[in-house]
Amino acid sequence: MDLHHLHTYIRPQQLEDLTAWDPGWNWLAGGTWLFSQPQPHLRGLVDLHPLGWNELEISAEGLKLGATCTFQQLLQYPWPPHWPGIRALCEGMASLASFKVAHLATIGGNLCLALSVGVVAPVLIALEATYTLIDLQGSLRHIPAQDFQTGPQQTLLQPGEALRSIWIPAQRLRGPSTFQRLGITQTDPALVIVAGSRDPDSGNYRFGLNAALSPPQLVQMGSQPDPEHLSQLLAEQIHGWIADFRASALYRQRMSEVLIRRCLDILG
Amino acid sequence: MDPIPIRFQVNGQPYVQAVPPGITLLSLLRELGWVGVRRACESGDCGACTVLLEGDPIHSCLYPAARLQGQAITTIEGLAKNGEWDAMQARFLEGQGFQCGFCTPGMILSARQLCGEGIPSEAELRDQLRGNLCRCTGYQAILESIQGIPASFALAVRFPSGCRRHSTFPESELESVGRNVPKQDGPQIVSGQPAYTGDFAPAGLLHLRLLRSPHAHARIRRIDTSQAQALPGVVAVLTHRDVPRRAYSTAGHAEPVPDPLDRFVLDEKVRFVGDGVAAVVAESVAIAERACQLIQVEYEVLPHVLDPLEAMQPGSPVIHDEPEARPMNVRVSGTEDFASRNLAGYVCLQSGDPAQGFAEADLILENTYHLPAVQHAHLEPHVSTSWLEADGRLVVRSSTQVPFHCQRVLAEITGIPRERIRVIKGKIGGGFGNKQEILTEPLCALATLKTGRPVQWELTRSEEFTATNSRHAMQIRVKTGVKSDGSLVAQEITAYANAGAYGNHSQTVVFLAGYIPLGLYRCPHKRFEGFAVYTNSMPGGAFRGYGATQGTFAVECQMDEIAHKLGLDPIQLRLKNVIQPGDPLTLGYREQQDADWKDSHFNLIGSYGLKDCFEKIQTAFSTPLPPPQGSRRYGRGIAISMQGSGLSKIHVAGVKLSLLPSGRILMRSGAVDVGTGSDTTLRQIVAQVLGIPINQIDLIAADTQETPFDAGSYASATLYISGEASRRAALALRDKLIQAAALRLQTDPDQVCFAQGCFSAPQGSLTLPELAQSTPDPIEVELHHAADESSLTFAVAGVELAVDMETGQIELLKIAQAIDLGTAINPRICYGQVAGGTAMGIGYALSEELIRDEQGQILNAGFRYYRIPTAKEVPPIEVHLVQQADPYGPFGAKGVGEITTNCIAPAIANAVFQATGLRLRRLPLTPERVWQGIQSGIDPPQPVRASGTER
Ligand SMILES: Cc1cc2nc3c(=O)[nH]c(=O)nc-3n(C[C@H](O)[C@H](O)[C@H](O)COP(=O)(O)OP(=O)(O)OC[C@H]3O[C@@H](n4cnc5c(N)ncnc54)[C@H](O)[C@@H]3O)c2cc1C
Ligand code: FES
Ligand code: FES
């Protein structure tokens, strides 16, 4: 929708072009959230596109994704067949909105927006990813995926700081992965999200949970737990189940368990 | 604000421009006249605004125009090349993958991309199309179009049909009725031509925006508009001090209106979150919106009440205490004070003696059902444009189902004589009842009167969800007594409807909530008591089904329960009790004979194909039910319903037919095509009677200046009543034409045979154009028609589904619906009605609900969290049109617009019972509700034997 309060639109060709940062500004990635609801406090947008942060680099050590890689770019990429770990990421992105939103929406935008219904964050937590943030001076810091988000629509990003790239280690990409969601319908923003991955060597499981809680959280297991153990594990490790007009905390908690069990079945 | 210089191309046309930083590609394209790009949600959810950006489909409402750097954009207008349709446009035309057409450009552009490398599987298409909402079609016709339609639907006449020189026509085009004549607006729809109200912008157009109340109930102590007035570009600000204080009702009904007159264009009291406070009229939407935020309002916040039962209690806040409002003309027995009980409407109907009936019963069941407020979600928002003609006449173009009632209400509010006001219905992008409400027109017109300039007011999607109308939320108690053989002996319904802040439609909606389901079954003792209660929430209004939907859910769920308890087959139980031809609908009639409005709703049974409907549905589900699989349990359920065809006696339709000098026929009809296709079917009727092809008939529709009066499109009336008016007018014209031809041929009229556009007699022959050119006086007919009886349409629906016992999720596997519709004038269009109504029923059953917080604020005011079904959530729909000609309707046709929604939710709830053993009595059946039921293992309350313990 039209953002009637927007005064400024900037297209920096490089980061150094930005000498100042106004508290009313924000980065523009795909714009699929920014333009989807009124933004009464937003005064300016700084477009990330010209910076060309959409690299996709595959190496023996792992995968580097620029923050402005679009969903579509990643969904269409011919991934190496020995990387079943990428599957959860693709399933997660495919579950969001439609292919037309996917043409524009970026992976960084989904992470930085940090909605509780975010689809990318739980996957990257399961895949043990690390994020690289960059500030206006060009200094970088590296944050483990599970630490980046601090609450619904809250992250460690400082004003003027941006998510630059994402690193996923090859070890995780070599193991199986899966993305499970549950909503009121099959296509709405999820009530419960569980992304799971199994380490191909140690057999350890990592689960990224979201939508049922915020911020997204990591659950780790050494082996397939029995059902009671799983409930206990969640009760001990996880806090902050969301209760809102769409579902109760109890339902979200129980469904997270169900989805973890379904992940375990798939991951083997 | 710094405008951003951009360059880009649209459909090959280069543009260089400077745009405001926050404007979207959607708004830019529409401003440039590419109005095939539709504005429907502006949040990226519906896909109506889809365009191709460098060949890739995107939602243009999400794309900042400032970002354009030489890119090429293709809109629907750019698809056809050298007069040839694009392949996907051709498929949509062929398969008629549209009704109102508002979603169609986006559908076509999206489908094109999806079919780039061959047509995907149906499952894949359903999944990929989830970013394209359609509220009309149930997606069935869309999928069929994309995939190539089944042969049985091959359309009767192909585009382009071209115009013909000779005046006799191929025989194949002469039979119109009963054929799948293509919707005549198809080419306009698939090419994205301007047609809808918002597509036209008169020069000097101003835009209106409304500041709305943040409080559920408050008195406005002070409004300061000076800052807003001072904003450059603001032309006028209107508050309650600037508009006439005349109580009216937004409900578009014929006079005498049955609705309380309790609304003011703007008032000094606000009664729900979203109620109007002050309007800004400005040079642009952006300025108007900014100015709204500069208006300072001091409110005296009043206590509010959101629950109807609470609102009826003594001591509750009184919502309508203003002296001018005309209270309801009906009185609750034992209550002298209607206002203090917040009653917007009250209905009490009785026949026989229920107490006696219950005493005879072997089994009594009493249950309470909870129905949510849901929204129409027509894709085209409410929009109207008003201006003054040179001679001072006021013109309002609007997306309205009731142009003539709108004209009357505008005259009442403005004090301008009716004939000085012209209301033109634009093409409608869906209404479903919400445009039987006069919402945007009065303020828009007053703004034009104040400024002297054209004004447009288009609601945002969030306003649609928070400040228009909903289906009435209801709590319905049903108590039924039966004999052990299944025969009903007593049935009693009590309904409490949430009328919201204003009473529009509430009285009549509540009436149908009891009258229809109680009327459906033979039962010697019946009683209905219905309360429509004011609360501080968005008003309930007219919505497809109109109360019958709510009442049907309650009774059809309970009938299933009764069958189960008595060990009877649910179909047999219904067949045993359902009304039969010849049965009069007498509920409440004897006692209420003096209440004349009830007389006028009189329904009767004309044609009766209900038994065939049952058979169709039984056959559709004759395979064995799948056994449980993992956590999945399977179930089937059915439900039945009925609905009248129009309102007898008071629903008037006028038609004028003239022979044009060219030999073509000009039809002027006040009837409103809401997107259903009635502009086509009415012409089919005329074509059939005259024996000419439909393309020989030009139509001017729904314009208070150019067409005769028609009450409008509601109550499933258009085909039944306007259609009969058309048929009669055509017969009269036929007689006149024959007489004129006889005069020319110097013979007796009964010597003249009129066929294929040609008059022949022993003395010679004459074509229509020849007759037209040789007659000095115009040959024309104008007549008005009101039906004496409203024939009942019946429906039966069956559902098969799976419930995941671990999560509570319901997956629909198949839906079949059979409609006893008399004659299908245009089967393809009737299919569309059934499929679309079915999908709407699915939303009602499974996901749709307007959710409010305790302050009365709606929490899911957008398509992201208010979920109407996408293609993925709709299973294949099997439609059966049971055709037995009705003795009253035109060519035996009955109404089909509303009934199609009624059966779906109860059939689903009954199927969930079969799958899980759970009786869920609250809609929607969200996964959590189902799961909770499974968890608590709630058993249905034990049946009570009639022996003394009647509770
Ligand atoms: C129909 C529809 C359904 C949706 N469903 C979901 C859903 O289920 N779950 C969900 O999570 N989202 C959903 N969204 C919201 C949103 O579109 C997605 O989250 C998307 O991934 C956001 O990406 P973007 O690039 O478009 O972000 P933008 O809209 O451009 O930006 C989003 C936010 O992130 C910031 N940002 C973007 N990139 C960076 C960066 N590199 N560094 C720092 N800050 C940055 C922006 O400043 C802004 O605050 C939906 C949107 C639509 C239209
Ligand atoms: S208007 Fe853009 S998606 Fe609905
Ligand atoms: S035809 Fe799809 S919304 Fe009307």
Side-chain angles (χ1 to χ4, degrees):
Chain A
M1 65 184 59
D2 296 332
L3 302 180
H4 297 305
H5 298 272
L6 208 63
H7 283 275
T8 310
Y9 166 77
I10 302 172
R11 281 180 79 82
Q13 298 306 306
Q14 59 248 325
L15 213 50
E16 297 82 73
D17 291 357
L18 291 167
T19 48
W21 188 265
D22 184 293
W25 290 2
N26 218 338
W27 301 105
L28 168 65
T32 62
W33 177 76
L34 282 166
F35 281 84
S36 74
Q37 60 176 67
Q39 308 281 357
H41 305 296
L42 194 63
R43 293 291 170 269
L45 281 177
V46 183
D47 200 336
L48 289 170
H49 262 202
L51 300 178
W53 290 355
N54 63 343
E55 70 276 25
L56 191 162
E57 290 166 16
I58 294 181
S59 65
E61 288 73 43
L63 172 65
K64 184 181 169 203
L65 296 172
T68 57
C69 283
T70 63
F71 282 18
Q72 189 69 6
Q73 189 186 345
L74 300 180
L75 285 170
Q76 282 176 351
Y77 193 82
W79 295 105
H82 61 280
W83 275 7
I86 210 74
R87 190 173 161 171
L89 182 62
C90 291
E91 287 171 351
M93 290 186 302
S95 76
L96 179 138
S98 71
F99 70 103
K100 293 169 291 171
V101 174
H103 277 311
L104 300 175
T106 67
I107 186 164
N110 194 268
L111 290 174
C112 297
L113 177 56
L115 297 179
S116 64
V117 294
V119 293
V120 175
V123 177
L124 294 184
I125 288 172
L127 295 180
E128 225 172 333
T130 309
Y131 305 160
T132 300
L133 316 187
I134 188 166
D135 67 13
L136 291 179
Q137 285 69 47
S139 37
L140 305 175
R141 51 178 182 141
H142 305 284
I143 309 280
Q146 66 269 25
D147 298 340
F148 175 67
Q149 200 179 324
T150 54
Q153 292 193 258
Q154 282 167 5
T155 66
L156 294 178
L157 286 169
Q158 298 299 307
E161 195 176 28
L163 174 65
R164 174 62 190 83
S165 63
I166 294 146
W167 170 254
I168 309 175
Q171 179 70 6
R172 280 283 156 191
L173 290 168
R174 286 196 295 106
S177 72
T178 180
F179 178 93
Q180 300 288 319
R181 75 174 291 280
L182 192 148
I184 289 177
T185 71
Q186 298 176 53
T187 56
D188 60 340
L191 294 174
V192 183
I193 293 175
V194 176
S197 113
R198 180 165 61 79
D199 186 297
D201 300 329
S202 70
N204 280 348
Y205 298 99
R206 280 175 75 92
F207 293 99
L209 274 55
N210 209 11
L213 39 76
S214 187
Q217 287 174 45
L218 169 69
V219 176
Q220 287 177 285
M221 287 166 214
S223 57
Q224 291 251 7
D226 52 52
E228 296 88 84
H229 181 202
L230 178 58
S231 306
Q232 198 188 335
L233 195 91
L234 287 190
E236 283 167 9
Q237 290 193 11
I238 304 289
H239 311 283
W241 299 103
I242 294 174
D244 63 8
F245 67 91
R246 299 204 304 146
S248 69
L250 179 66
Y251 183 67
R252 284 182 158 108
Q253 179 182 343
R254 290 290 164 75
M255 290 309 110
S256 298
E257 281 173 42
V258 170
L259 294 195
I260 290 178
R261 273 193 273 117
R262 290 183 180 182
C263 283
L264 285 166
D265 285 347
I266 292 168
L267 297 173
Chain B
M1 179 179 308
D2 322 315
I4 314 296
I6 52 170
R7 42 190 192 84
F8 56 101
Q9 283 186 19
V10 185
N11 303 326
Q13 210 166 306
Y15 291 90
V16 178
Q17 208 144 347
V19 295
I23 195 178
T24 58
L25 180 56
L26 166 65
S27 292
L28 177 65
L29 289 170
R30 287 190 62 84
E31 252 168 51
L32 294 173
W34 301 106
V35 293
V37 189
R38 309 272 181 233
R39 187 196 305 277
C41 75
E42 299 188 276
S43 61
D45 293 272
C46 78
C49 66
T50 303
V51 300
L52 306 181
L53 179 74
E54 295 285 317
D56 276 337
I58 59 158
H59 292 174
S60 60
C61 67
L62 296 176
Y63 196 82
R67 193 171 238 183
L68 291 170
Q69 298 282 321
Q71 280 107 318
I73 294 144
T74 309
T75 69
I76 190 76
E77 291 98 331
L79 281 195
K81 295 264 156 50
N82 311 320
E84 291 277 316
W85 295 120
D86 174 79
M88 193 53 75
Q89 283 175 312
R91 283 185 193 200
F92 270 72
L93 267 182
E94 189 93 342
Q96 201 154 292
F98 45 78
Q99 274 175 40
C100 79
F102 210 73
C103 68
T104 313
M107 285 287 178
I108 290 176
L109 287 164
S110 306
R112 232 172 138 259
Q113 169 96 357
L114 294 175
C115 297
E117 288 152 24
I119 300 168
S121 70
E122 180 173 330
E124 212 170 311
L125 270 179
R126 286 187 185 274
D127 181 45
Q128 292 293 321
L129 281 176
R130 68 196 133 114
N132 288 84
L133 300 180
C134 174
R135 192 57 152 172
C136 302
T137 61
Y139 304 99
Q140 188 105 335
I142 292 172
L143 290 165
E144 285 167 4
S145 295
I146 298 172
Q147 295 170 302
I149 46 166
S152 64
F153 286 135
L155 295 176
V157 183
R158 282 165 197 278
F159 284 107
S161 37
C163 73
R164 288 163 205 284
R165 291 267 151 67
H166 48 90
S167 52
T168 52
F169 311 101
E171 210 139 327
S172 63
E173 295 187 11
L174 296 180
E175 282 293 314
S176 281
V177 163
R179 286 161 50 96
N180 295 318
V181 172
K183 265 185 96 216
Q184 299 292 293
D185 52 358
Q188 185 190 43
I189 284 174
V190 301
S191 57
Q193 276 163 32
Y196 302 92
T197 301
D199 295 348
F200 302 96
L205 184 65
L206 298 175
H207 296 270
L208 191 150
R209 274 288 185 269
L210 192 60
L211 175 69
R212 296 181 177 278
S213 167
H215 303 293
H217 200 191
R219 216 170 275 289
I220 297 170
R221 279 223 192 101
R222 208 178 56 86
I223 301 191
D224 180 357
T225 60
S226 52
Q227 278 189 49
Q229 302 262 17
L231 191 73
V234 170
V235 180
V237 180
L238 297 133
T239 71
H240 62 89
R241 295 185 299 257
D242 309 299
V243 298
R245 187 167 177 80
R246 298 218 175 84
Y248 75 108
S249 171
T250 62
H253 273 138
E255 275 187 303
V257 297
D259 320 297
L261 306 184
D262 56 8
R263 193 140 183 175
F264 305 91
V265 177
L266 293 170
D267 196 0
E268 36 90 54
K269 187 172 159 182
V270 285
R271 298 177 183 82
F272 70 102
V273 176
D275 211 352
V277 173
V280 175
V281 191
E283 300 286 348
S284 75
V285 171
I287 297 171
E289 213 149 83
R290 264 182 260 133
C292 278
Q293 278 149 32
L294 296 175
I295 299 173
Q296 275 145 27
V297 190
E298 199 184 305
Y299 294 100
E300 175 194 340
V301 177
L302 304 171
H304 67 269
V305 57
L306 300 172
D307 178 66
L309 291 170
E310 229 175 89
M312 284 175 69
Q313 295 308 312
S316 244
V318 176
I319 294 167
H320 285 280
D321 49 358
E322 64 282 358
E324 304 92 328
R326 196 194 80 184
M328 282 302 309
N329 45 10
V330 197
R331 189 156 289 137
V332 188
S333 47
T335 329
E336 52 303 323
D337 190 358
F338 224 70
S340 73
R341 287 189 68 193
N342 285 317
L343 284 179
Y346 174 75
V347 181
C348 184
L349 311 170
Q350 186 169 332
S351 54
D353 176 1
Q356 183 199 327
F358 286 118
E360 293 163 11
D362 294 326
L363 171 75
I364 295 173
L365 269 194
E366 185 172 348
N367 306 107
T368 301
Y369 300 85
H370 301 268
L371 290 310
V374 296
Q375 227 272 330
H376 311 66
H378 39 78
L379 276 204
E380 182 209 30
H382 286 86
V383 51
S384 48
T385 314
S386 51
W387 65 91
L388 293 172
E389 289 291 341
D391 65 0
R393 259 176 322 142
L394 174 68
V395 187
V396 180
R397 184 202 296 273
S398 185
S399 181
T400 174
Q401 294 173 230
V402 285
F404 287 88
H405 301 330
C406 180
Q407 179 198 34
R408 187 194 75 236
V409 168
L410 286 175
E412 285 164 7
I413 290 174
T414 59
I416 298 173
R418 226 183 270 193
E419 52 293 355
R420 301 278 297 159
I421 299 174
R422 175 181 182 188
V423 177
I424 307 166
K425 177 218 62 137
K427 186 177 185 62
I428 300 184
F432 311 113
N434 209 9
K435 292 175 180 170
Q436 195 197 342
E437 306 275 355
I438 297 151
L439 294 175
T440 52
E441 297 89 347
L443 203 44
C444 205
L446 290 170
T448 282
L449 293 173
K450 171 138 186 170
T451 61
R453 289 178 57 182
V455 176
Q456 186 167 84
W457 186 16
E458 182 178 48
L459 297 190
T460 63
R461 184 55 51 184
S462 127
E463 287 180 303
E464 288 291 342
F465 277 112
T466 56
T468 61
N469 296 275
S470 70
R471 189 186 287 288
H472 285 75
M474 284 193 198
Q475 182 176 319
I476 302 179
R477 200 172 67 231
V478 187
K479 181 176 170 187
T480 304
V482 276
K483 293 297 227 184
S484 50
D485 68 352
S487 39
L488 299 184
V489 283
Q491 201 160 35
E492 212 173 72
I493 298 184
T494 314
Y496 298 91
N498 190 340
Y502 300 98
N504 50 311
H505 289 289
S506 288
Q507 169 78 14
T508 37
V509 163
V510 159
F511 171 78
L512 277 211
Y515 169 81
I516 288 286
L518 282 177
L520 182 56
Y521 294 109
R522 287 172 159 176
C523 176
H525 308 287
K526 301 177 183 178
R527 183 179 159 82
F528 173 61
E529 198 170 15
F531 301 84
V533 191
Y534 286 124
T535 65
N536 294 110
S537 39
M538 177 165 90
F543 192 160
R544 192 184 216 168
Y546 208 82
T549 314
Q550 292 94 314
T552 298
F553 177 76
V555 169
E556 285 306 294
C557 285
Q558 201 184 56
M559 287 299 280
D560 201 74
E561 200 163 337
I562 290 170
H564 182 77
K565 292 212 186 302
L566 294 177
L568 297 173
D569 175 68
I571 294 183
Q572 292 313 319
L573 178 75
R574 287 176 172 92
L575 280 172
K576 188 178 183 73
N577 291 290
V578 77
I579 49 169
Q580 305 285 335
D583 286 357
L585 270 82
T586 52
L587 176 60
Y589 201 51
R590 187 166 39 85
E591 291 82 352
Q592 301 271 339
Q593 241 161 7
D594 43 358
D596 49 284
W597 60 271
K598 205 144 295 132
D599 261 342
S600 55
H601 285 73
F602 188 58
N603 295 119
L604 50 66
I605 299 177
S607 68
Y608 185 82
L610 188 59
K611 298 225 164 77
D612 288 12
C613 291
F614 273 117
E615 264 166 40
K616 297 279 184 217
I617 297 308
Q618 268 173 312
T619 315
F621 295 96
S622 51
T623 55
L625 192 66
Q629 224 180 17
S631 58
R632 278 157 76 90
R633 301 284 178 280
Y634 296 85
R636 285 179 184 151
I638 66 146
I640 76 173
S641 183
M642 68 177 189
Q643 194 113 23
S645 306
L647 309 170
S648 60
K649 304 185 178 67
I650 53 170
H651 200 109
V652 176
V655 172
K656 181 174 179 184
L657 296 174
S658 336
L659 176 65
L660 296 174
S662 60
R664 297 171 64 80
I665 303 295
L666 176 62
M667 174 174 189
R668 294 168 185 267
S669 155
V672 171
D673 185 339
V674 261
T676 54
S678 63
D679 279 353
T680 300
T681 48
L682 295 184
R683 264 185 282 182
Q684 276 179 263
I685 289 175
V686 173
Q688 174 79 27
V689 173
L690 295 178
I692 57 175
I694 183 172
N695 62 21
Q696 294 301 302
I697 301 169
D698 299 325
L699 176 71
I700 300 177
D703 176 336
T704 61
Q705 179 177 296
E706 296 294 325
T707 67
F709 177 91
D710 187 292
S713 171
Y714 54 94
S716 306
T718 305
L719 204 267
Y720 187 78
I721 296 175
S722 308
E724 178 62 10
S726 306
R727 192 184 72 86
R728 292 182 182 203
L731 280 173
L733 181 70
R734 193 170 197 283
D735 283 349
K736 276 200 172 179
L737 291 171
I738 290 175
Q739 272 166 23
L743 210 62
R744 260 295 307 275
L745 297 168
Q746 297 179 333
T747 179
D748 230 37
D750 38 346
Q751 294 290 310
V752 178
C753 157
F754 176 43
Q756 305 196 15
C758 192
F759 304 88
S760 36
Q763 289 79 352
S765 69
L766 196 61
T767 64
L768 262 177
E770 283 163 2
L771 175 67
Q773 269 143 32
S774 65
T775 347
D777 299 325
I779 304 180
E780 53 190 27
V781 166
E782 177 168 350
L783 60 75
H784 287 82
H785 166 72
D788 267 339
E789 46 286 300
S790 156
S791 229
L792 287 162
T793 303
F794 296 91
V796 181
V799 171
E800 180 175 316
L801 51 73
V803 179
D804 186 328
M805 301 295 279
E806 266 186 340
T807 62
Q809 278 171 310
I810 294 171
E811 188 191 344
L812 299 178
L813 301 170
K814 175 178 172 179
I815 294 196
Q817 182 155 211
I819 308 277
D820 164 38
L821 46 46
T823 302
I825 301 288
N826 184 323
R828 180 66 170 160
I829 285 179
C830 296
Y831 269 80
Q833 283 299 302
V834 183
T838 301
M840 208 169 239
I842 292 173
Y844 192 47
L846 298 184
S847 60
E848 294 183 38
E849 176 170 24
L850 286 169
I851 300 174
R852 277 182 202 92
D853 68 11
E854 284 168 6
Q855 300 310 310
Q857 178 100 37
I858 289 176
L859 298 171
N860 52 347
F863 286 131
R864 190 75 46 84
Y865 289 108
Y866 181 96
R867 298 304 294 189
I868 68 170
T870 68
K872 194 169 179 171
E873 282 110 14
V874 176
I877 302 168
E878 195 178 295
V879 175
H880 298 277
L881 306 181
V882 170
Q883 300 204 44
Q884 292 177 14
D886 181 73
Y888 308 107
F891 293 100
K894 299 194 280 193
V896 71
E898 296 181 277
I899 185 161
T900 55
T901 303
N902 294 350
C903 298
I904 305 304
I908 288 176
N910 293 339
V912 168
F913 169 76
Q914 198 188 26
T916 64
L918 286 175
R919 288 285 175 197
L920 295 170
R921 304 193 178 91
R922 182 184 293 273
L923 291 183
L925 306 175
T926 59
E928 179 166 7
R929 285 193 181 138
V930 177
W931 176 81
Q932 266 171 355
I934 295 168
Q935 290 305 298
S936 54
I938 44 166
D939 282 324
Q942 285 306 301
V944 184
R945 294 283 150 184
S947 48
T949 50
E950 236 194 60
R951 255 294 60 201

